Amino acid sequence: MSLSSSLFSGISGLSTLGNSMTVIGDNIANVNTIGFKSSRVTFQDVLSQTVATTAGTAQVGRGTSLGDITSSFSQGSFESTDSTTDLAIGGEGFFIVRDPNNTDNDFYTRAGEFRFDKDGNFTTPAGYIVRGWALDSAGSATGSIGDIALSSFTSSPSATASATVITNLDSDEASNTADLELVWDGDNGSSTYMASTAYEHQTTFKVYDSLGTTHDITVYFDADSTSNTWEYIVVCDPTEDTRSTASGDGQGLLARGTMTFNTSGTPPGMTMSTHTGGAALSTGWSAVTPNASGYLEFSPSFISGTTMTVALNFGTRYNSTTTNWEPESLASTQYSSSSTTVFQSADGYGAGALQSISVGTDGVITGQYSNGEVIPLYQVSLAKFQNEQGLYNEGGNLFRETRLSGDPVTGAPGTNGLGGISPKSLEQSNVDIATEFVKMITTQRGFQANSKIITVTDQMLAEHISLKR
């Protein structure tokens, strides 16, 4: 073995330790990079050579080489932000993003600094589009994983399907009108279609048609000549009633019926019929039977050619099994106190504009709209790999799958071993400055020691040369 072999051993040490310092420098340089995963260097000795000894043969190493450079995928700490679209993964998994110029080129990242671009795409700062599932109105995923992109910034209107009116009707009141619907005058050319002396109580609620326009529905109540019975009519503004069969005085008259209370003044039995006739209000009535939910329905038409159906709940529901009307937890009453509306509501809503976006721990992106609707839009998907070390680092906080990493296993946050989403947070670099500085010191000293090998070997070679003067 020649003395010069020690020179090459020292050179191998300088080379590998120089590469190690490069990795340390890269880690320190990215100490504030969102989602950065630090790397570490491992060394291995170079294939040794055999030398003769008095005991036989032995091996002498010939220096060192890089064994591997691996990434640490340990969890980084979270930084709280004020952006609802900043997301961090608490646990295992990567966000899936797509190259906007290649529909088949997916990448994986832990950096969740996302935003919506001008086209509605949910993207990284570099423009890579985040992937996930589109959700239906019930919050269930539809189809396979695709781009998260808002194609519409409005919420479609929903027509009213049910209304609830809970009243107390004064048991001491006498009948004001023999037939309440006969005093309704839908074509008198004025805004007063019902004399205030013709009824005991009235209440008005709003309904939405399929285009999102609101309309007033009024229910008039009056005591009937029959004890514990009240008659009612349901009307709308005659100028908004497009039913051609309800012309004349009957314009705007939608339904009539009776409410029959028991002797204790508690919930009534019900009848209802709808008005389909013309000017003759005493004709053209069709009896209404309770729907599948046990409520009576009326059918206004505010859009020409379109009829909507509204279930009217007075706090009692028809049980088809027992053939009885049964009270609900909140029901209309007939007590000896002033007639009043206790509660009323109607579903449906008009069109709304998107006002804000929020993201849940399950990765569901929800839109809040000006009409009060809160609608689930998308769910962010995550992916994990059997061998994370096999991922190829593309730079820009992106990783790419390889044959060594295996295929990605995708799923919703919090399922299948994947971590949950922390909204309004960003995962910081997992670089430990103290650890990197210690590595820097040991690398520096190792480099100095290897350089000393070269200088000492040089001195020894000089002694060899000086043997011949």
Side-chain angles (χ1 to χ4, degrees):
M1 183 180 68
S2 65
L3 182 60
S4 61
S5 295
S6 58
L7 282 174
F8 294 102
S9 295
I11 288 173
S12 70
L14 292 179
S15 176
T16 54
L17 289 167
N19 287 327
S20 176
M21 187 63 76
T22 299
V23 172
I24 294 170
D26 180 61
N27 287 341
I28 294 176
N30 285 283
V31 69
N32 289 323
T33 300
I34 299 300
F36 179 78
K37 298 304 177 184
S38 62
S39 299
R40 69 173 184 177
V41 175
T42 55
F43 306 114
Q44 63 182 19
D45 60 336
V46 175
L47 180 65
S48 59
Q49 61 183 356
T50 303
V51 296
T53 68
T54 57
T57 60
Q59 292 179 310
V60 177
R62 298 174 58 189
T64 184
S65 65
L66 285 176
D68 198 6
I69 300 176
T70 58
S71 296
S72 169
F73 287 95
S74 62
Q75 180 80 56
S77 59
F78 287 176
E79 172 193 359
S80 296
T81 72
D82 58 0
S83 174
T84 57
T85 56
D86 282 344
L87 309 179
I89 303 173
E92 190 174 357
F94 297 84
F95 296 109
I96 307 172
V97 297
R98 180 182 67 81
D99 184 345
N101 300 316
N102 189 336
T103 57
D104 298 322
N105 204 358
D106 284 345
F107 297 92
Y108 306 90
T109 182
R110 293 282 296 193
E113 187 181 5
F114 304 136
R115 75 281 304 271
F116 286 97
D117 66 13
K118 64 181 179 62
D119 298 318
N121 296 314
F122 197 43
T123 69
T124 69
Y128 289 81
I129 303 173
V130 185
R131 308 276 275 170
W133 293 277
L135 303 180
D136 60 21
S137 58
S140 300
T142 60
S144 57
I145 293 176
D147 294 347
I148 295 179
L150 296 181
S151 57
S152 174
F153 293 87
T154 59
S155 167
S156 300
S158 175
T160 299
S162 63
T164 299
V165 175
I166 306 299
T167 60
N168 176 69
L169 300 174
D170 191 350
S171 61
D172 295 330
E173 290 296 325
S175 174
N176 292 283
T177 304
D179 293 300
L180 192 58
E181 75 276 6
L182 294 180
V183 296
W184 172 260
D185 187 0
D187 65 347
N188 62 9
S190 71
S191 58
T192 302
Y193 307 104
M194 189 79 162
S196 59
T197 56
Y199 57 89
E200 161 58 17
H201 181 62
Q202 65 93 16
T203 187
T204 300
F205 58 90
K206 292 185 180 296
V207 298
Y208 292 88
D209 62 28
S210 59
L211 298 180
T213 303
T214 59
H215 305 273
D216 287 339
I217 298 292
T218 301
V219 184
Y220 293 97
F221 300 91
D222 189 50
D224 191 74
S225 56
T226 304
S227 178
N228 297 322
T229 300
W230 289 73
E231 60 177 325
Y232 65 88
I233 60 171
V234 181
V235 301
C236 67
D237 187 336
T239 62
E240 298 177 355
D241 186 1
T242 66
R243 298 173 304 158
S244 60
T245 57
S247 60
D249 292 342
Q251 200 78 27
L253 185 58
L254 303 174
R256 70 176 181 182
T258 59
M259 305 171 61
T260 303
F261 295 87
N262 60 30
T263 55
S264 62
T266 51
M270 301 290 303
T271 67
M272 179 186 283
S273 55
T274 57
H275 182 253
T276 58
L281 299 185
S282 59
T283 63
W285 292 99
S286 300
V288 176
T289 58
N291 62 20
S293 298
Y295 303 114
L296 298 170
E297 297 175 325
F298 64 95
S299 301
S301 178
F302 300 114
I303 302 172
S304 182
T306 301
T307 299
M308 56 189 292
T309 300
V310 181
L312 186 56
N313 177 13
F314 285 112
T316 185
R317 187 179 66 85
Y318 184 76
N319 187 325
S320 58
T321 302
T322 64
T323 66
N324 292 321
W325 288 90
E326 299 175 350
E328 298 190 327
S329 57
L330 186 61
S332 293
T333 56
Q334 180 193 242
Y335 294 141
S336 181
S337 61
S338 298
S339 296
T340 185
T341 300
V342 178
F343 172 81
Q344 68 181 28
S345 70
D347 61 10
Y349 47 85
L354 182 64
Q355 292 185 316
S356 63
I357 289 288
S358 64
V359 184
T361 56
D362 56 357
V364 172
I365 301 174
T366 303
Q368 288 81 39
Y369 294 83
S370 58
N371 59 3
E373 285 301 291
V374 178
I375 301 175
L377 304 173
Y378 286 91
Q379 185 173 30
V380 175
S381 61
L382 299 183
K384 65 177 181 178
F385 296 86
Q386 294 297 328
N387 178 22
E388 293 177 333
Q389 297 298 333
L391 292 171
Y392 182 80
N393 193 336
E394 287 280 346
N397 291 329
L398 300 176
F399 294 92
R400 176 166 52 83
E401 68 175 284
T402 67
R403 180 177 58 83
L404 295 177
S405 69
D407 293 331
V409 178
T410 59
T415 66
N416 200 26
L418 295 165
I421 298 295
S422 179
K424 287 191 174 182
S425 300
L426 291 174
E427 182 182 3
Q428 297 298 296
S429 167
N430 67 352
V431 173
D432 186 331
I433 287 290
T435 299
E436 297 302 320
F437 278 2
V438 170
K439 289 181 180 179
M440 185 188 300
I441 293 171
T442 58
T443 300
Q444 179 187 20
R445 293 307 181 192
F447 192 91
Q448 288 176 333
N450 277 272
S451 65
K452 185 61 70 176
I453 290 293
I454 295 175
T455 57
V456 170
T457 301
D458 179 54
Q459 292 173 358
M460 294 173 69
L461 289 172
E463 291 295 328
H464 275 184
I465 294 172
S466 67
L467 290 176
K468 179 70 172 67
R469 298 285 184 182

